[in-house]
Amino acid sequence: WISLEEAFTKVQASPKKVLIDVYTDWCGWCKVMDQKTFTDPEVVKYVNEHYYAVKFNAESKKDVKIGTTLYKFDASNRVHEAAVALLQGKMSYPSIVYLDEKFSMIQPVPGYMEAKPFHQVITFIGGNHHLSEKFDSYKAGTYSSKYAKK
């Protein structure tokens, strides 16, 4: 896992998609995802090959600078401005945010996911299938025929 700023720097030098785990310290499902989903060998392998993986605490007090934009902790709402931007104002934890090779939004995906459905999503986006087909058809066709079922 790297920081948001490190991912932004790495994308400039060597373009790759970015996967951002937006979490909070008090979120129980975030902890379950850490223990079960993010430790799955198939998930780890695919993420390491196709993404820069970022963990971002939505309640972090540390300023974050992405390019020329400075994001700060919003004390009145008890949330970081970067988290609000990444989640498009729909604050739900855990949420995984997917960015393309230019650090532009593909899509935030809210909610806990077990390893197999999560693997389906990361391969759908990581393999650029999201550009040409709907997730349901990918799941029913390309994914099931291309990858071994666990």
Side-chain angles (χ1 to χ4, degrees):
W1 298 102
I2 61 176
S3 74
L4 206 47
E5 292 156 316
E6 287 173 293
F8 181 76
T9 301
K10 286 181 178 281
V11 163
Q12 309 311 306
S14 180
K16 197 173 178 181
K17 286 184 179 64
V18 180
L19 176 154
I20 306 164
D21 173 26
V22 183
Y23 71 97
T24 63
D25 291 334
W26 50 263
C27 166
W29 286 111
C30 298
K31 291 173 177 55
V32 175
M33 227 168 144
D34 283 343
Q35 294 165 355
K36 293 186 175 182
T37 307
F38 297 139
T39 58
D40 180 88
E42 295 292 318
V43 167
V44 171
K45 182 177 187 288
Y46 195 88
V47 169
N48 286 337
E49 288 173 6
H50 296 89
Y51 294 91
Y52 292 119
V54 173
K55 272 201 155 314
F56 187 74
N57 184 340
E59 296 176 339
S60 170
K61 307 259 189 314
K62 183 179 174 275
D63 290 355
V64 173
K65 189 171 185 184
I66 303 297
T68 58
T69 306
L70 183 66
Y71 297 93
K72 295 177 169 287
F73 179 71
D74 175 357
S76 62
N77 292 307
R78 298 189 325 262
V79 69
H80 202 284
E81 294 169 343
V84 174
L86 289 166
L87 300 181
Q88 301 172 333
K90 296 178 182 99
M91 310 315 289
S92 174
Y93 315 109
S95 284
I96 307 300
V97 178
Y98 298 91
L99 305 180
D100 68 14
E101 298 82 353
K102 294 179 179 163
F103 221 72
S104 297
M105 179 66 69
I106 294 174
Q107 181 175 347
V109 178
Y112 168 78
M113 294 182 95
E114 292 183 2
K116 185 176 179 186
F118 184 70
H119 191 269
Q120 291 173 328
V121 174
I122 61 176
T123 58
F124 176 68
I125 294 172
N128 287 326
H129 300 281
H130 66 287
L131 299 173
S132 61
E133 66 182 308
K134 299 259 187 244
F135 181 66
D136 287 340
S137 62
Y138 170 74
K139 218 167 45 169
T142 310
Y143 182 83
S144 59
S145 64
K146 221 173 173 190
Y147 299 95
K149 292 183 180 180
K150 283 171 89 177

